[in-house]
Amino acid sequence: MALTEQERNEYKQKITNIANSFQSKKANDHLRSRTEEAEGRLEFWQERASTLSWFQKWDQVLEWSYPDARWFVNGKLNASYNCLDRHLDSWKKNKPALIFEGEKGDHKVYTYKELHAEVNKFANVLKSRGVHKGEIVTIYMPMIPEAIIAMLACARLGAPHNVVFGGFSPEALRERINDTKSRFLITCDGAYRRGNLLRVKENVCAALKEADSVEKVFIVKRANIDIEIIGGRDIWYHEAMEEAGEDCPPEIMDSEDMLFVLYTSGSTGKPKGIVHTTGGYLTGASTTLEYVFNMKQDDVYWCTADVGWITGHSYLVYGPLLNGATIVMYEGAPDYPSKDRYWEIVQKHGVTILYTAPTAIRTFMKWGVSYLEKWDLSSLRILGTVGEPINPEAWNWFHKNIGGGRCPIMDTWWQTETGMIMISPLPGTNLKPGSCVAPFPGIKAEIVDKSGQPVAPGEKGFIVITEPWPSMLRTIYNDHERFKQTYWNTIPGVYYAGDGAKYDEDGYFWVLGRVDDVINVSGHRIGTAEVENILIEHPVVAEAACIGKNHEIKGQAIVAFVTLREGVCPDSDLVELAEELKKHIVLRIGAIARPEDIYLTKELPKTRSGKIIRRILRDIAEGRMIGDTTTLDDGFNLEEVMKNILVSS
Ligand code: 6R9
């Protein structure tokens, strides 16, 4: 049911016209007078869905029973078929789908035909070992092509994937395996990062000690190191692939069947398994990639996100492959072997679209422009950012030095939960550095106060989405009640994103950051409660409170305030103790959660009702004068808190 090339072009023109009118300079005026667009919105998404290949067409575009949505009801399709097979009967068969750049400089190219063959083979491997439709498969991998192959092989079989970021600790991996009760795990022997060897399989073995559900572990040989192989459980990927056939028919999936679960931090201790389904998710990911980046057939597109995050799912894997694009995937760190590695890659592969994070841009800024001089960046035509607010200085630096003053920057606001870009300019929109401009066509987002009323320009409010969208999360795995409470109950009737924002006088959106207890470190979400719970488990810790302080490069950094238990050896070296607590967190969550500072203190500032006042902790952490203290507990003496800080590291 795919459209012909001509239909597609005509249609594209039509949608571009709609998009441009949505994104007029007075974006907000438009937003407010958009009620009549409800029908247009469904029509828009329906037309977009028909650019995918369906085995059976849907009966209804949307079935909405607040807050439960079903998109493209009774439609049948397969994600891996859409990403691969449908490109094979055109010239795209021999087009590079994936250009992999290893940290050591090794590189490998897969055409669509080759990627299709690998995915089919691995799907057959999984199938012959018992993976079937509906079975959740956990993937714990570094940034290597097999991570993408594994995801698509799962999708081919209708087995939802549960990708766990390769930098997470064994404990974080175990938690995600146990929540999904995965019987299958795909991983590798080791990985490289900044030239160092990471012993991935050792982490896996540690995780599996208390994760009984896992029956089979598939291991990709990346680092070629000696590892322990457990007979009957561990299977070498390359050995299994040798005997696998290249033809594995795609499973026919319902539009609402689960495509994947991906865990993200929330304001309580337990990470939430965000569930995405098939038809709506693919429609959203493919449409936004095509429009936001104005994707053309000869583009070389590089998204620097790790497959372990939603940006990796939607814009490294699904979005680009659905569009038949050529993807660049880089294994390693931006400063290895030297600080110009990204620019070398841009020149080497002629990258035309670069999608990255503000934290990376601020790091490049700090390193200085001398690292750019050697490289020709003239192939670039569009830039994108995601993950956190971008400050105007970083925006201008990116625009001038990387984009040569000619590439528009798409500042894209969205979340694991939204599945796709929700608020963003389109190429051609008038840009303002630091603003993500306006909702994407077909999306109804607003900034409202606590009671759900739109705020006036300049006033702070909360981002809400007022109409369902195709790639919206369907539930939290195993916890539908929490899904309803977290997202749909804070401001009844609408999806509550947990972000603060304001409009300017032209109606442009300016995102201010999280308003809940989630810290955004270098674009990664970390729940304060998650870190606090782990600190409290340490034998010296009585109480712990974490906050995010502003950080020049990372956007926010974690600062932990800890009171010690009575009787902790009075002679302990407190600086060393603080270091030990940092290590404890790294071990239990992963390096991304390492606190920047730890304050060991005798007490924490609390309200009369005993709630820790994080605002004061933030003041202390950022070295500011302490603000209003009228709500403090009566017997509480702030000077004492300050004096009682035993050590800060
Ligand atoms: C895609 C992704 C989501 C949170 C979100 C917000 C922040 C993302 C942003 C942005 C300002 C942008 N965020 N994009 N803030 N401007 N362009 O990052 O998903 O990891 O779930 O994080 O990231 O605070 O709520 P996720």
Side-chain angles (χ1 to χ4, degrees):
M1 227 189 319
L3 298 181
T4 64
E5 199 60 30
Q6 194 195 343
E7 279 169 339
R8 197 174 158 86
N9 285 340
E10 280 170 15
Y11 169 69
K12 216 166 155 177
Q13 191 52 51
K14 185 172 151 198
I15 298 301
T16 308
N17 293 343
I18 300 176
N20 287 340
S21 73
F22 274 22
Q23 297 227 331
S24 62
K25 199 161 165 242
K26 292 261 175 198
N28 194 36
D29 293 351
H30 212 96
L31 242 184
R32 280 158 208 264
S33 62
R34 263 173 44 182
T35 34
E36 74 280 6
E37 288 160 21
E39 269 180 27
R41 214 169 19 254
L42 289 190
E43 195 187 319
F44 173 76
W45 288 121
Q46 146 137 293
E47 288 183 351
R48 290 308 303 165
S50 50
T51 64
L52 300 177
S53 296
W54 297 76
F55 300 130
Q56 179 183 305
K57 204 184 161 177
W58 53 90
D59 306 329
Q60 197 181 331
V61 182
L62 169 67
E63 191 185 281
W64 178 227
S65 163
Y66 167 84
D68 299 309
R70 297 178 69 215
W71 280 85
F72 311 115
V73 181
N74 293 330
K76 310 279 179 219
L77 76 173
N78 179 284
S80 110
Y81 181 90
N82 271 281
C83 288
L84 302 169
D85 305 47
R86 69 188 179 123
H87 303 310
L88 298 188
D89 51 14
S90 73
W91 63 275
K92 280 191 205 154
K93 182 159 94 176
N94 296 318
K95 175 180 176 174
L98 176 61
I99 301 173
F100 170 69
E101 177 81 17
E103 197 184 71
K104 286 182 165 172
D106 49 323
H107 97 257
K108 190 165 180 182
V109 180
Y110 295 81
T111 61
Y112 270 92
K113 189 166 164 244
E114 288 162 345
L115 190 60
H116 176 264
E118 293 300 300
V119 168
N120 274 259
K121 277 163 72 180
F122 193 50
N124 274 329
V125 166
L126 293 173
K127 197 170 171 179
S128 67
R129 271 41 174 217
V131 174
H132 53 71
K133 189 170 170 172
E135 174 92 47
I136 299 185
V137 176
T138 299
I139 300 178
Y140 183 59
M141 299 265 261
M143 286 284 283
I144 55 175
E146 288 81 357
I148 297 183
I149 293 169
M151 288 165 77
L152 294 174
C154 289
R156 195 157 193 91
L157 299 176
H161 50 72
N162 166 32
V163 181
V164 179
F165 171 55
F168 273 137
S169 68
E171 183 161 327
L173 170 62
R174 180 189 305 142
E175 197 176 5
R176 287 156 176 78
I177 291 174
N178 285 340
D179 200 46
T180 51
K181 306 217 168 27
S182 279
R183 294 199 296 141
F184 299 90
L185 174 65
I186 307 168
T187 187
C188 66
D189 55 349
Y192 297 106
R193 186 82 188 170
R194 289 203 175 81
N196 299 321
L197 176 69
L198 308 176
R199 297 193 166 270
V200 180
K201 178 64 174 22
E202 275 180 19
N203 275 358
V204 167
C205 286
L208 293 190
K209 284 205 177 105
E210 285 164 52
D212 306 336
S213 59
V214 174
E215 295 169 13
K216 293 272 179 269
V217 180
F218 300 90
I219 307 156
V220 174
K221 193 173 242 173
R222 171 65 186 149
N224 223 346
I225 50 173
D226 280 339
I227 55 165
E228 185 192 9
I229 292 284
I230 298 189
R233 187 193 76 182
D234 295 352
I235 299 163
W236 280 110
Y237 175 96
H238 61 279
E239 287 176 6
M241 288 289 268
E242 268 170 29
E243 59 214 38
E246 278 186 21
D247 185 23
C248 177
E251 199 67 40
I252 294 180
M253 304 302 289
D254 188 87
S255 177
E256 280 302 323
D257 278 336
M258 193 200 309
L259 178 61
F260 64 85
V261 55
L262 181 64
Y263 284 79
T264 186
S265 292
S267 44
T268 67
K270 202 170 165 291
K272 300 175 286 198
I274 303 300
V275 171
H276 283 287
T277 58
T278 310
Y281 172 80
L282 297 178
T283 303
S286 119
T287 303
T288 43
L289 185 98
E290 185 174 345
Y291 283 94
V292 171
F293 295 113
N294 182 24
M295 181 63 75
K296 300 208 188 336
Q297 283 315 321
D298 53 357
D299 272 315
V300 177
Y301 164 89
W302 182 19
C303 165
T304 65
D306 193 284
V307 280
W309 310 116
I310 190 69
T311 307
H313 282 55
S314 302
Y315 299 109
L316 175 66
V317 183
Y318 289 108
L321 292 176
L322 289 167
N323 278 282
T326 295
I327 310 169
V328 173
M329 177 191 212
Y330 171 52
E331 178 182 35
D335 56 351
Y336 192 84
S338 68
K339 295 190 169 90
D340 54 0
R341 187 63 195 271
Y342 270 29
W343 319 123
E344 180 194 344
I345 294 175
V346 169
Q347 177 180 308
K348 180 169 168 189
H349 300 296
V351 173
T352 57
I353 301 170
L354 175 66
Y355 191 25
T356 191
T359 185
I361 297 164
R362 290 191 294 264
T363 306
F364 299 137
M365 247 173 107
K366 190 179 84 181
W367 290 344
V369 289
S370 64
Y371 291 100
L372 307 174
E373 279 158 10
K374 242 166 79 187
W375 307 105
D376 177 6
L377 306 181
S378 62
S379 58
L380 289 170
R381 74 184 183 88
I382 296 185
L383 304 173
T385 70
V386 59
E388 47 173 328
I390 180 163
N391 47 316
E393 301 74 37
W395 195 102
N396 284 319
W397 188 92
F398 196 37
H399 188 251
K400 174 169 173 233
N401 296 293
I402 307 303
R406 68 180 186 280
C407 307
I409 299 176
M410 302 297 111
D411 175 357
T412 62
W413 178 92
W414 60 294
Q415 308 178 297
T416 306
E417 293 85 343
T418 68
M420 62 177 239
I421 294 169
M422 300 294 278
I423 308 179
S424 164
L426 296 175
T429 311
N430 290 328
L431 302 173
K432 297 189 189 185
S435 164
C436 56
V437 182
F440 188 79
I443 296 300
K444 213 159 160 11
E446 287 187 34
I447 306 173
V448 300
D449 62 18
K450 273 193 187 129
S451 64
Q453 293 308 308
V455 295
E459 271 174 32
K460 286 185 194 169
F462 308 99
I463 300 183
V464 295
I465 316 292
T466 60
E467 295 290 340
W469 66 103
S471 62
M472 62 197 281
L473 78 163
R474 300 300 195 266
T475 189
I476 292 176
Y477 191 69
N478 280 336
D479 204 345
H480 200 60
E481 201 42 46
R482 189 174 172 201
F483 158 79
K484 290 192 207 159
Q485 288 303 327
T486 311
Y487 302 110
W488 300 96
N489 222 17
T490 313
I491 300 176
V494 295
Y495 170 85
Y496 178 77
D499 273 22
K502 56 185 182 184
Y503 296 117
D504 67 13
E505 56 296 341
D506 292 325
Y508 278 50
F509 279 64
W510 295 76
V511 181
L512 303 168
R514 302 287 310 186
V515 291
D516 52 10
D517 295 330
V518 173
I519 306 178
N520 189 330
V521 183
S522 302
H524 304 317
R525 283 162 65 170
I526 297 160
T528 50
E530 237 172 287
V531 181
E532 288 162 6
N533 290 350
I534 299 248
L535 278 169
I536 289 165
E537 284 170 26
H538 193 283
V540 303
V541 175
E543 239 184 338
C546 292
I547 53 108
K549 77 163 182 181
N550 288 330
H551 188 279
E552 212 188 324
I553 305 288
K554 301 178 186 170
Q556 284 191 301
I558 301 176
V559 178
F561 289 78
V562 168
T563 62
L564 298 176
R565 280 178 192 240
E566 294 276 327
V568 171
C569 175
D571 298 331
S572 352
D573 178 339
L574 294 176
V575 177
E576 218 170 83
L577 196 59
E579 274 312 309
E580 185 184 318
L581 292 176
K582 285 187 188 175
K583 280 195 201 129
H584 171 69
I585 293 169
V586 172
L587 215 63
R588 299 288 298 277
I589 306 181
I592 54 164
R594 180 199 299 276
E596 185 84 4
D597 309 310
I598 291 203
Y599 288 78
L600 300 180
T601 168
K602 283 190 185 158
E603 56 188 319
L604 294 171
K606 290 188 185 154
T607 60
R608 292 184 182 92
S609 60
K611 251 187 136 208
I612 295 168
I613 310 177
R614 288 164 200 277
R615 173 174 52 79
I616 291 184
L617 298 180
R618 218 166 282 128
D619 285 344
I620 297 172
E622 292 177 353
R624 262 194 310 275
M625 291 294 290
I626 310 288
D628 177 20
T629 56
T630 47
T631 49
L632 272 179
D633 178 18
D634 277 344
F636 200 85
N637 180 338
L638 196 65
E639 272 176 32
E640 280 298 303
V641 177
M642 298 302 287
K643 258 197 268 157
N644 283 336
I645 291 178
L646 303 171
V647 62
S648 87
S649 80

